Amino acid sequence: MGKIKEYSNGEVTVVWEAEKCVHSGICVKGLPNVFQPDNRPWIKIEAATNDQLVKQVKACPSGALTSYMNGDKDKPKTNFETRIEVMENGPLVFYGDVKVKHKDGSEESKQKTTAFCRCGASSNKPYCDGAHTNSGFKG
């Protein structure tokens, strides 16, 4: 299992799973006072309201960021409608529950947000690993 960090303000907790991150920068662009990748700790959770945090975390295309309200037993929460979004020069992102059937016949269930590679350069196909950034992919 990869690195998982939790950041809490006492009311809401933001969970970051480094292995899932495709470095889209959506979190940084949306709440630059909170998400500061050049600093440690990189998430300054006290720099936004709970509503702002939860909304921004829901916009994470890879599912690397999740959140839950402290005291909730079922963490992290998934409150997404099922939808698909084509990220400019990046992955195809599914929001909601998805069952993935691999070419070898094996299946796995993904929940919340799943980013699929569109550029062909990912070393974790069919999932995006951020390789589009260095491959020059446009689309």
Side-chain angles (χ1 to χ4, degrees):
M1 182 185 288
K3 179 167 73 170
I4 298 175
K5 294 260 190 177
E6 293 192 359
Y7 304 85
S8 182
N9 65 9
E11 295 177 7
V12 68
T13 297
V14 173
V15 180
W16 180 57
E17 294 183 62
E19 216 171 72
K20 290 182 178 180
C21 188
V22 298
H23 307 289
S24 67
I26 289 173
C27 57
V28 176
K29 293 172 195 155
L31 285 177
N33 292 334
V34 174
F35 300 99
Q36 301 176 1
D38 294 332
N39 296 325
R40 295 295 173 261
W42 80 282
I43 297 178
K44 311 289 190 247
I45 197 165
E46 62 284 339
T49 67
N50 291 346
D51 289 341
Q52 289 172 319
L53 291 165
V54 170
K55 182 179 178 185
Q56 191 61 51
V57 164
K58 285 182 179 182
C60 177
S62 67
L65 291 171
T66 56
S67 67
Y68 62 89
M69 297 307 292
N70 294 4
D72 283 357
K73 292 184 175 147
D74 301 324
K75 59 179 188 172
K77 294 293 185 188
T78 58
N79 296 323
F80 289 107
E81 63 181 320
T82 300
R83 64 187 170 104
I84 301 168
E85 183 177 353
V86 178
M87 302 299 292
E88 184 177 356
N89 304 326
L92 185 64
V93 181
F94 283 66
Y95 298 93
D97 295 344
V98 176
K99 185 173 279 190
V100 179
K101 184 172 183 180
H102 296 280
K103 61 184 176 184
D104 66 2
S106 65
E107 292 184 358
E108 68 179 307
S109 293
K110 295 291 200 172
Q111 298 167 333
K112 189 186 172 214
T113 310
T114 306
F116 290 95
C117 178
R118 286 197 308 137
C119 73
S122 174
S123 60
N124 189 32
K125 290 181 192 94
Y127 308 110
C128 176
D129 68 359
H132 57 271
T133 304
N134 295 326
S135 74
F137 176 72
K138 301 287 183 217

